[in-house]
Every structure is written in C-alpha cells, then in structure tokens.
Amino acid sequence: MFELDIEMLKEQGLQLVDSAKKTAQDLADKGKNKLDLLNQQARLSKAQRQLGALVYSLHKAGEENPALVEKYIDAVAEVEKAIEEIKANMTDDERAEVEAQEAAENTESEAAPEEEAAPAEDEEIEEEPIQLRGETKICPVCKAEVDGDALFCNHCGAQL
C-alpha cells in the first residue's frame, strides 16, 4: 500500500515556504530599490529646477549670491550621491534595467522634432505663461515669502 511519509512532506513544505519567502523578499527589495530611486530622481529634478530658477532670478535682478547658489549646488550633489548609493545597492540586473531606461529617456529627449528647434531670426519667441504654484511658506530667518517646495530661502539663503 501507499505509505505517507509525514516528515518528508513536512520538510518539503518548509522548503517551499522558505523559497516563497525568499522570492517575496527579493521582489519587495527590488520594488523598494526602484521606488527609492524614483523618489530620489524626483528630488533631483526638483532641486535642479530650483537651482535654475535661483540662478535665473539672480541674473535677471543683476545680483550675485555665490553662497546661496553653492547651497543649492550642494543640495543637488547630495541627492546625486543618494541616487548613486541606491544604484550601488541594486543587483547587476536591476542596475542594467535602470540604466537602459535612463538611456531610452535620454534618447527620446535628444530626438526632439526639428519644428521645436530654436526659432528663426525673423520668428518671434512666444513666452509661456508663468504658472504660480500657489503654495508658499515664510522663511523663519528673514520672514520672506518663498515657494512651498523651496529648499532654501531665495532672499537670505537660510535652509528651510
């Protein structure tokens, strides 16, 4: 007759559970790495936009504030470092996948249609309307009103 080996079934069941647990943990870690990377890339984009806006506003006002610009540059560098740390903790396959996505995005942005190139000399450049974010906050140091997502005060340079 057919005899059940309960101990063998129990051992195989435990092995399957351990294997499933490891697979689930690997998937969770991979998802967390990608989520962390996306969050840091969003922070980088925001910090770069803020740096650009600061440089533009200083240039337009005919002012210089190297210390404030340096703070923004440091903030960008800090986020870039965090991105590199996340990439260093990824597996080779994850890293290759992320790099392939980044390369595809860069190719798409470089392959802009010729129609969107710089206007000819006789064409007038249309200005896009400036959209206000609506969210502002008050600098704790100089009490100036700044964008709600600013990292530093664009008046005194205090970290927000």
Side-chain angles (χ1 to χ4, degrees):
M1 280 236 105
F2 182 68
E3 204 175 304
L4 290 177
D5 187 354
I6 300 296
E7 287 302 314
M8 183 181 80
L9 289 174
K10 181 179 173 184
E11 183 63 33
Q12 287 177 344
L14 288 174
Q15 289 174 354
L16 286 172
V17 168
D18 286 343
S19 176
K21 180 180 175 184
K22 182 182 182 317
T23 301
Q25 185 65 43
D26 289 345
L27 286 172
D29 289 344
K30 183 177 180 180
K32 182 182 180 317
N33 285 340
K34 283 189 173 183
L35 182 61
D36 289 346
L37 182 61
L38 287 172
N39 285 334
Q40 290 300 329
Q41 288 171 333
R43 283 187 64 214
L44 177 62
S45 179
K46 179 179 171 183
Q48 289 171 332
R49 283 192 316 271
Q50 289 176 337
L51 174 60
L54 171 67
V55 170
Y56 176 76
S57 65
L58 287 172
H59 177 75
K60 191 169 182 175
E63 298 176 11
E64 289 186 19
N65 191 339
L68 182 57
V69 171
E70 189 63 34
K71 283 185 180 182
Y72 274 79
I73 290 171
D74 290 345
V76 168
E78 180 181 315
V79 177
E80 287 174 337
K81 181 180 176 188
I83 288 172
E84 290 307 313
E85 288 173 0
I86 292 170
K87 287 181 179 179
N89 290 329
M90 290 181 156
T91 65
D92 291 339
D93 292 339
E94 289 175 315
R95 200 173 312 114
E97 184 180 335
V98 166
E99 289 171 358
Q101 287 174 342
E102 289 173 351
E105 289 171 4
N106 289 339
T107 302
E108 288 173 10
S109 65
E110 290 173 2
E114 290 182 25
E115 296 170 7
E116 295 180 19
E121 290 181 29
D122 58 340
E123 288 184 39
E124 211 172 291
I125 299 174
E126 294 181 28
E127 290 187 28
E128 292 183 24
I130 297 173
Q131 296 178 357
L132 299 176
R133 296 170 195 241
E135 297 179 24
T136 60
K137 56 186 170 186
I138 304 298
C139 173
V141 176
C142 72
K143 308 298 184 223
E145 190 173 330
V146 295
D147 282 342
D149 60 352
L151 300 173
F152 299 96
C153 175
N154 58 351
H155 296 282
C156 70
Q159 188 169 0
L160 302 174

